[in-house]
């Protein structure tokens, strides 16, 4: 199981949420990526930084926290790093947060 405090921290940033949103449908937002299939292999960190309008180091910090939370994986191909969402981990987190905050889970 992932560390929930890291996951909560990862979800506490609008830019990190935007990364996850963009990676949900990489074929829509990163169709011009030529170095690898964005759906099958992942999206290049450089393109993510460009989509966010931030520097590469800023994007890398956001991506690293999402990776620590288990929400994305990062793999290398040559000198490039590619990111993919981890749907199972995201689903587990969303179920957990829903159950934790549901009316049934809140003590009276």
């Amino acid at each position: 199981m992932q560390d929930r405090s890291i996951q909560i921290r990862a979800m506490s940033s609008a830019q990190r949420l935007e990364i996850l949103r963009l990676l949900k449908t990489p074929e829509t937002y990163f169709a011009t990526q030529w170095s690898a299939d964005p759906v099958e292999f992942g999206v290049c960190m450089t393109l993510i930084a460009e989509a966010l309008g931030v520097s590469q180091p800023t994007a890398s910090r956001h991506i690293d926290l999402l990776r620590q939370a288990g929400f994305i994986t990062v793999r290398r191909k040559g000198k490039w790093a590619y990111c993919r969402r981890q749907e199972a981990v995201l689903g587990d987190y969303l179920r957990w947060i829903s159950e934790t905050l549901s009316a049934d889970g809140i003590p009276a």
Side-chain angles (χ1 to χ4, degrees):
M1 180 200 299
Q2 297 294 325
D3 182 335
R4 296 295 188 200
S5 63
I6 293 173
Q7 289 182 326
I8 291 167
R9 184 170 168 229
M11 291 295 195
S12 69
S13 161
Q15 289 184 319
R16 289 189 289 273
L17 290 173
E18 181 66 3
I19 291 169
L20 291 173
R21 186 185 72 77
L22 293 170
L23 292 178
K24 175 70 175 166
T25 54
E27 67 279 5
T28 300
Y29 300 104
F30 303 102
T32 60
Q33 177 175 285
W34 56 267
S35 56
D37 183 286
V39 175
E40 295 297 318
F41 202 83
V43 176
C44 181
M45 283 185 171
T46 302
L47 295 178
I48 293 170
E50 288 175 9
L52 293 176
V54 299
S55 69
Q56 181 107 18
T58 298
S60 292
R61 284 191 298 275
H62 287 304
I63 288 166
D64 188 53
L65 187 53
L66 290 168
R67 183 196 54 76
Q68 289 176 41
F71 295 145
I72 64 171
T73 56
V74 177
R75 70 186 204 185
R76 294 212 167 276
K77 180 179 179 187
K79 64 178 183 173
W80 307 108
Y82 296 83
C83 304
R84 285 187 69 199
R85 277 174 50 132
Q86 294 302 298
E87 299 299 334
V89 177
L90 283 162
D92 175 67
Y93 174 78
L94 293 172
R95 279 187 297 282
W96 171 78
I97 200 82
S98 177
E99 290 168 4
T100 300
L101 299 178
S102 72
D104 294 339
I106 299 174

